[in-house]
Amino acid sequence: MRAAPALLGVLALGGAAGLALAAPPAVFVNEADVVRREPPPHGAHGMSTAYRISDVVPGRTMEFRKRVLHPGAAVGLHVIDHDEVYYVLSGEGEVTSDGVTRRLGPGGAAYLYRGAEVGIAQVGDQDLVLIVSYPLPAKP
């Protein structure tokens, strides 16, 4: 079997390993080490528990957090300057994006686009547990 021309250049550099640049060592984070109770951002509606996972990663280029919105809590409406994902692990929430509201439960995700006015509110009797992730602005 013949290798494609683009692959030949990779093989000449030492195979797949030739593609990798020297990366810093992995950072391993236990959520118990980065947990804190705080009001949710963008309006402080109710109380939440934040697991600020990526905060301890030096030179990071993305935000990755777990947030628990306790009954009655909400991340208030705010305009985002990046794409963002809300992914629901458990509980139920109502996500609003530019005036459209949709209910999400476990396994549901909302991909939100830069420039949209967004927010999410806990609904029901159980905590809403979600992952929030988005890119950080490029550093000059």
Side-chain angles (χ1 to χ4, degrees):
M1 180 164 119
R2 287 187 53 198
L7 184 57
L8 289 175
V10 171
L11 294 173
L13 292 172
L19 288 178
L21 299 175
V27 176
F28 298 93
V29 180
N30 185 311
E31 68 179 24
D33 297 331
V34 294
V35 63
R36 65 187 196 198
R37 270 184 70 77
E38 63 185 22
H42 310 292
H45 304 285
M47 201 57 171
S48 73
T49 302
Y51 299 86
R52 301 175 69 90
I53 295 165
S54 57
D55 284 10
V56 298
V57 178
R60 73 186 196 270
T61 60
M62 62 177 284
E63 199 65 71
F64 186 89
R65 294 185 176 161
K66 177 178 164 184
R67 184 168 298 271
V68 179
L69 294 176
H70 303 295
V75 173
L77 289 174
H78 61 288
V79 176
I80 54 176
D81 61 359
H82 47 256
D83 288 6
E84 188 164 318
V85 176
Y86 294 164
Y87 178 78
V88 176
L89 297 171
S90 63
E92 291 192 54
E94 289 185 344
V95 176
T96 300
S97 179
D98 286 338
V100 176
T101 300
R102 178 137 179 220
R103 190 173 220 149
L104 289 179
Y111 189 99
L112 307 163
Y113 290 98
R114 179 173 51 99
E117 183 179 48
V118 305
I120 185 167
Q122 179 277 342
V123 295
D125 296 330
Q126 298 179 354
D127 289 340
L128 170 62
V129 182
L130 64 147
I131 298 294
V132 179
S133 188
Y134 53 89
L136 294 174
K139 295 180 181 176

